[in-house]
Amino acid sequence: MRTKAILLIMDGLGDLPNGKKTALQMAKKPNIDRLSAKGGIQGLMSVISLGVAPGSDTAQLQLLGYPPREYYCGRGPLEAFGAGMNLQEGDIAFRANFATMENNKITDRRAGRINTQDAKMLEKEVSMRINDVEIIFKSTTEHRGALILRGKGLSPDVSSMDTHHLGKINPAMPLDGSVEAKKTAEIMNQFTAIVSERLGKSKINDERAEKGLKVANTILLRGAGIYRRVPSFEERFGVEGACVAGGALYKGIGRYIGLDVPLVKGATGTKDTDLKSKGMAAVHELERHDFVFLHVKGTDNFSHDGDLKGKADFIGKVDKELIPILEKSGAVLIITGDHSTSCERKEHTGYEVPILVYHPEARCDGIKKFDEFSAMKGGLGHINGMSIMPFILNSIGKGKIYGS
Amino acid sequence: MRTKAILLIMDGLGDLPNGKKTALQMAKKPNIDRLSAKGGIQGLMSVISLGVAPGSDTAQLQLLGYPPREYYCGRGPLEAFGAGMNLQEGDIAFRANFATMENNKITDRRAGRINTQDAKMLEKEVSMRINDVEIIFKSTTEHRGALILRGKGLSPDVSSMDTHHLGKINPAMPLDGSVEAKKTAEIMNQFTAIVSERLGKSKINDERAEKGLKVANTILLRGAGIYRRVPSFEERFGVEGACVAGGALYKGIGRYIGLDVPLVKGATGTKDTDLKSKGMAAVHELERHDFVFLHVKGTDNFSHDGDLKGKADFIGKVDKELIPILEKSGAVLIITGDHSTSCERKEHTGYEVPILVYHPEARCDGIKKFDEFSAMKGGLGHINGMSIMPFILNSIGKGKIYGS
């Protein structure tokens, strides 16, 4: 009996044919197709519910058995976890980007995609204390970072300061009538004023200006969320798990729910990630855990760029470089996506995601190719993302009996 | 139009092929397969939800239209009903086993599988009154029995005294901070002390000891539950039903929800049950009722023993001895299980259960064999256990219109 499982999420895997073929249909993927024929069962999955396009954060939470309606804390805390910050109950966390501001107007939302080294040097200018609120910032890659407000009487019900457009900076506003939201918005606005002044004076920015680079002279806050401890994955499911991912958000989700999140060399969270390295890390984690969540982002990146061929080639690369490593582990393999992303629309859609479970000792449907149309006829039928964790625990003989 | 229905539950019916065949695939079952081809429609059913392995109690409740989340009262009251006891609102009931204790340690959890006659003779030593609490015991078969605590201020939130292992006896503990749980645990512990002393002095046990048999000198309590009246089957669904079963638990479930539960000669609730007798009883009950729940336990027993061939042969016996009797009744036949039990794992699993509905006048899929893999392609698709009662009522033209 197989006693371990790997859940491989190819972000944004499913697609629409748009009169031609989907990336999964185009891809050369002899290994995945062989697994399907030899010991697979396929189906189509609505991660949240039929027709609903999820974000990557809510989708992964649902697949990991943490329904977002109950457990979604907003993007901020997940980003902060992803940055490796230590959160405390009640912290208000944000995604925080370095940006370029001229005459109170944002002229570059990413400070010219400032290099990670410069950003790291500016990091210390950003953390500060305002009245009784401690403000902690951590820069991650390029312009990206996360920021925490720690103090009493704060609220996540505040507006985003990042309009996602250039132009006048948005002051933070309370989103309800509470004193907590009012206080939080005021702190955010005071912080923005102080940090902009400090960054404006920094030597790093002087040097960048001299080199003709965009200055990183403000911070844009968005995705406010409050951190509340959730039951750990082990508490919830009785098995220990690990998360192998490159992107900060996915590592953050892993840490948020108490999965072990190893640092994986070459895992970039983008198209150029080292798939072999991730595969080996997943198999290595399987030695100490019963379950590994393995996240690959490239499929979604190519979809958002509208690059159908790139998406198909990336699936082919996963098939060639990653699948053989996973197959050798002897684990139950669940190969799917977190949502469908359309290369034509360049955005997430609410179409179901194809799912393939490789488990030759269990019930198989013998379907020879894996794609959206084969999956339509699969033995799993149409399933919901919330069933994935019970399904996996059952597959490896670690589910709990309901009743007696 | 068919106006009556029989729901035949073969306990633990579904299985995994484990590289070979499932019991359903192996079984010789010309009658079932003929019904399928002639007028059947198949599907796969998640009784609770996909991937969740139910206990037999929760599973039957769900199938009978009493979702366990709302109606599960714990094992104790169902066992007490099964033993034919009269429960009153607020009774705390337990599964209660005769056991052998030496120096305060359990050395046999079943008192050497004491024969039913000896157990019956010891029965009167067990019932007693402690303070304001009446304690009522009824022995059923061999070491098995049920016990009721009747009194004010009691709670089912107490720990099991049966660890399912040999060794030191577990004192009952309150599972919350309530005075009711504390009182109940104290009564349980006092009861155990008194009953052990009484049984230790009994003549029956002296005789057993002389014969070299294990003495039945204590009672182990587990599965505490509180009885609250639930709407009867007739109140809930507008039709009268009967329950034909051998096992005490299943008869108990029938009585709990107000089904008629006839005594069926030769229905043992184990592998050696008299299938013809059960079939005739079911058809007889159909004269006075629109619906019969017919439970057969053998399939589950063979699965827990890891006896794949035994399971297949038992299915063959059901096909040969039971199905023709049911077919002749002219009722809609629903043939399924309450959960899948794996012969390899020897335990309940969360894999779907195959279901076959024989109703030649309704929509059929013409599939010629009934097993887990045919059911995957069946016309019913993937259904949930909570849909069975509405489906049955609809099949016999006795559903209620929702709306107007």
Side-chain angles (χ1 to χ4, degrees):
Chain A
M1 193 182 100
R2 288 173 199 245
T3 56
K4 306 206 168 196
I6 298 174
L7 172 58
L8 169 61
I9 299 293
M10 286 190 255
D11 204 302
L13 180 65
D15 212 322
L16 297 175
N18 193 28
K20 290 166 287 189
K21 283 186 169 182
T22 67
L24 256 177
Q25 288 181 297
M26 284 167 60
K28 279 184 198 156
K29 46 175 178 45
N31 289 310
I32 293 176
D33 290 341
R34 180 176 47 78
L35 293 184
S36 178
K38 186 176 133 196
I41 187 166
Q42 296 187 29
L44 285 171
M45 173 167 66
S46 290
V47 175
I48 302 296
S49 58
L50 186 62
V52 174
S56 279
D57 45 7
T58 46
Q60 323 279 342
L61 282 170
Q62 174 91 335
L63 293 174
L64 285 162
Y66 289 77
R69 205 168 284 207
E70 194 173 345
Y71 292 108
Y72 185 52
C73 56
R75 182 94 173 216
L78 301 176
E79 293 277 357
F81 271 114
M85 299 173 89
N86 289 315
L87 281 95
Q88 295 178 10
E89 286 267 329
D91 280 354
I92 308 294
F94 302 84
R95 167 73 182 265
N97 282 1
F98 280 110
T100 308
M101 181 171 70
E102 292 170 47
N103 302 321
N104 263 320
K105 282 182 182 157
I106 301 299
T107 55
D108 191 312
R109 285 182 57 245
R110 299 182 182 91
R113 286 200 186 268
I114 181 172
N115 66 69
T116 303
Q117 201 185 347
D118 280 4
K120 264 286 163 221
M121 307 242 282
L122 290 168
E123 192 182 69
K124 67 176 187 324
E125 306 284 350
V126 183
S127 293
M128 63 181 74
R129 172 178 279 275
I130 298 178
N131 307 330
D132 62 338
V133 178
E134 199 185 341
I135 301 176
I136 312 156
F137 172 76
K138 191 161 174 189
S139 115
T140 54
T141 54
E142 301 177 333
H143 57 283
R144 301 177 192 91
L147 183 137
I148 290 171
L149 303 187
R150 181 171 294 161
K152 291 217 170 105
L154 299 173
S155 161
D157 296 321
V158 286
S159 65
S160 171
M161 302 186 75
D162 185 354
T163 55
H164 283 260
H165 298 290
L166 301 183
K168 203 164 162 292
I169 195 166
N170 247 14
M173 302 281 281
L175 294 179
D176 61 26
S178 68
V179 286
E180 289 81 4
K182 189 161 172 268
K183 172 175 171 176
T184 308
E186 281 170 7
I187 296 281
M188 288 166 71
N189 292 326
Q190 286 176 49
F191 160 78
T192 302
I194 297 170
V195 83
S196 302
E197 200 195 327
R198 278 196 195 172
L199 289 170
K201 288 181 193 164
S202 91
K203 237 174 93 180
I204 305 291
N205 273 326
D206 288 347
E207 288 168 15
R208 287 182 64 82
E210 268 171 41
K211 288 184 206 158
L213 298 171
K214 295 258 172 109
V215 294
N217 62 353
T218 195
I219 297 272
L220 290 176
L221 301 178
R222 63 181 161 103
I226 187 164
Y227 171 60
R228 301 270 181 229
R229 191 187 172 282
V230 298
S232 75
F233 190 81
E234 197 189 344
E235 286 165 351
R236 200 160 160 73
F237 298 114
V239 300
E240 286 183 63
C243 164
V244 172
L249 177 64
Y250 312 99
K251 293 196 272 191
I253 290 169
R255 291 195 187 109
Y256 173 59
I257 65 171
L259 296 175
D260 276 348
V261 184
L263 262 178
V264 179
K265 216 182 146 188
T268 58
T270 58
K271 299 169 183 175
D272 63 357
T273 198
D274 186 337
L275 290 165
K276 283 186 189 169
S277 172
K278 286 178 90 165
M280 286 188 292
V283 174
H284 179 71
E285 290 303 315
L286 222 51
E287 288 171 20
R288 297 183 303 126
H289 302 92
D290 292 325
F291 169 75
V292 172
F293 173 76
L294 172 54
H295 183 267
V296 172
K297 185 68 180 172
T299 25
D300 194 50
N301 296 141
F302 282 109
S303 310
H304 282 289
D305 293 346
D307 184 353
L308 182 66
K309 186 173 177 304
K311 188 175 182 179
D313 289 347
F314 188 83
I315 295 169
K317 207 175 150 199
V318 167
D319 185 83
K320 190 176 169 189
E321 297 180 6
L322 186 57
I323 298 297
I325 298 173
L326 304 185
E327 183 185 0
K328 264 193 221 155
S329 72
V332 176
L333 303 183
I334 301 94
I335 302 173
T336 185
D338 53 346
H339 48 74
S340 293
T341 308
S342 160
C343 284
E344 194 209 354
R345 297 191 196 166
K346 302 181 186 178
E347 62 185 18
H348 298 190
T349 71
Y351 288 97
E352 291 164 295
V353 188
I355 175 169
L356 164 65
V357 178
Y358 173 67
H359 189 176
E361 297 79 20
R363 299 179 191 162
C364 302
D365 58 20
I367 294 178
K368 292 188 175 63
K369 279 193 173 299
F370 177 51
D371 58 54
E372 293 84 350
F373 297 86
S374 308
M376 228 178 242
K377 298 170 192 145
L380 279 177
H382 299 260
I383 66 174
N384 185 276
M386 73 179 181
S387 294
I388 288 300
M389 278 313 304
F391 183 91
I392 288 175
L393 293 173
N394 176 57
S395 299
I396 60 174
K398 282 170 182 143
K400 284 175 201 146
I401 299 276
Y402 177 64
S404 61
Chain B
M1 191 184 96
R2 290 174 197 245
T3 57
K4 306 207 168 197
I6 297 174
L7 171 59
L8 168 62
I9 299 294
M10 285 188 256
D11 205 301
L13 180 66
D15 213 323
L16 294 177
N18 193 29
K20 292 167 288 194
K21 283 185 169 181
T22 67
L24 255 177
Q25 287 181 298
M26 284 167 60
K28 278 183 197 157
K29 45 175 179 44
N31 289 311
I32 294 176
D33 290 342
R34 180 176 46 77
L35 292 185
S36 178
K38 186 176 133 198
I41 186 166
Q42 297 187 29
L44 285 171
M45 172 167 67
S46 290
V47 174
I48 302 296
S49 58
L50 185 62
V52 173
S56 279
D57 46 8
T58 46
Q60 323 282 341
L61 282 171
Q62 175 91 335
L63 293 174
L64 286 162
Y66 289 77
R69 205 166 285 208
E70 194 174 345
Y71 293 106
Y72 185 51
C73 56
R75 182 93 173 216
L78 301 176
E79 293 278 356
F81 272 113
M85 299 173 87
N86 289 316
L87 282 95
Q88 295 179 9
E89 285 268 328
D91 280 354
I92 308 294
F94 301 84
R95 167 73 183 263
N97 283 2
F98 281 109
T100 310
M101 181 171 70
E102 292 170 46
N103 302 321
N104 262 320
K105 283 182 180 158
I106 300 300
T107 56
D108 191 313
R109 286 182 56 243
R110 299 181 182 92
R113 283 199 186 272
I114 181 170
N115 64 69
T116 304
Q117 202 184 344
D118 280 3
K120 266 285 164 227
M121 307 240 283
L122 289 169
E123 194 181 68
K124 68 177 184 328
E125 306 283 353
V126 183
S127 293
M128 62 181 75
R129 171 176 280 274
I130 299 179
N131 306 331
D132 61 337
V133 179
E134 197 185 343
I135 301 177
I136 313 154
F137 172 75
K138 189 161 177 190
S139 119
T140 54
T141 55
E142 300 178 334
H143 57 284
R144 301 177 192 91
L147 183 138
I148 290 171
L149 302 186
R150 181 170 294 160
K152 291 221 168 104
L154 299 172
S155 161
D157 296 321
V158 287
S159 66
S160 173
M161 302 187 77
D162 185 353
T163 56
H164 283 259
H165 298 289
L166 301 184
K168 205 166 160 293
I169 195 166
N170 248 14
M173 303 279 281
L175 294 179
D176 61 26
S178 68
V179 287
E180 289 81 5
K182 190 162 171 270
K183 171 175 174 177
T184 309
E186 281 170 5
I187 296 281
M188 288 165 71
N189 292 325
Q190 287 176 49
F191 161 77
T192 303
I194 298 169
V195 84
S196 302
E197 202 195 325
R198 279 196 194 173
L199 290 171
K201 290 181 193 160
S202 91
K203 237 175 89 181
I204 305 290
N205 273 327
D206 289 346
E207 290 168 15
R208 288 181 64 81
E210 268 171 41
K211 290 183 206 157
L213 297 171
K214 295 259 173 109
V215 295
N217 62 354
T218 194
I219 296 272
L220 291 175
L221 301 177
R222 63 180 160 102
I226 187 163
Y227 171 61
R228 301 270 180 228
R229 192 186 172 282
V230 299
S232 75
F233 191 81
E234 197 189 345
E235 285 165 351
R236 201 161 160 74
F237 298 115
V239 300
E240 285 184 64
C243 164
V244 172
L249 177 64
Y250 312 100
K251 292 196 271 192
I253 290 169
R255 292 194 186 109
Y256 173 60
I257 65 171
L259 295 176
D260 276 349
V261 183
L263 262 178
V264 181
K265 214 181 148 188
T268 59
T270 59
K271 298 169 182 176
D272 64 357
T273 198
D274 186 338
L275 290 166
K276 282 186 189 166
S277 171
K278 286 177 89 164
M280 286 187 294
V283 174
H284 178 71
E285 291 303 316
L286 222 51
E287 289 170 18
R288 295 185 303 127
H289 301 93
D290 292 325
F291 169 74
V292 172
F293 173 75
L294 172 54
H295 183 267
V296 172
K297 184 70 180 171
T299 26
D300 195 49
N301 296 141
F302 283 110
S303 310
H304 281 288
D305 292 345
D307 184 353
L308 183 66
K309 186 174 176 303
K311 187 175 181 178
D313 289 347
F314 188 84
I315 295 168
K317 206 175 151 200
V318 168
D319 185 83
K320 190 175 168 188
E321 298 180 7
L322 187 57
I323 298 296
I325 298 172
L326 304 186
E327 184 185 0
K328 262 192 224 156
S329 74
V332 176
L333 303 183
I334 300 94
I335 301 172
T336 185
D338 53 346
H339 49 74
S340 292
T341 307
S342 161
C343 285
E344 194 209 354
R345 297 191 194 168
K346 302 179 186 177
E347 61 185 20
H348 297 189
T349 71
Y351 287 98
E352 292 161 295
V353 189
I355 175 168
L356 164 64
V357 178
Y358 173 66
H359 191 174
E361 299 79 19
R363 300 179 191 164
C364 301
D365 58 20
I367 294 179
K368 292 189 174 62
K369 280 195 171 295
F370 177 50
D371 59 52
E372 293 84 348
F373 295 86
S374 308
M376 220 179 248
K377 297 171 192 144
L380 278 178
H382 299 259
I383 66 174
N384 185 277
M386 72 179 180
S387 296
I388 289 298
M389 277 313 304
F391 183 91
I392 288 175
L393 294 173
N394 177 58
S395 298
I396 59 174
K398 282 172 183 141
K400 286 175 200 149
I401 298 280
Y402 177 65
S404 58

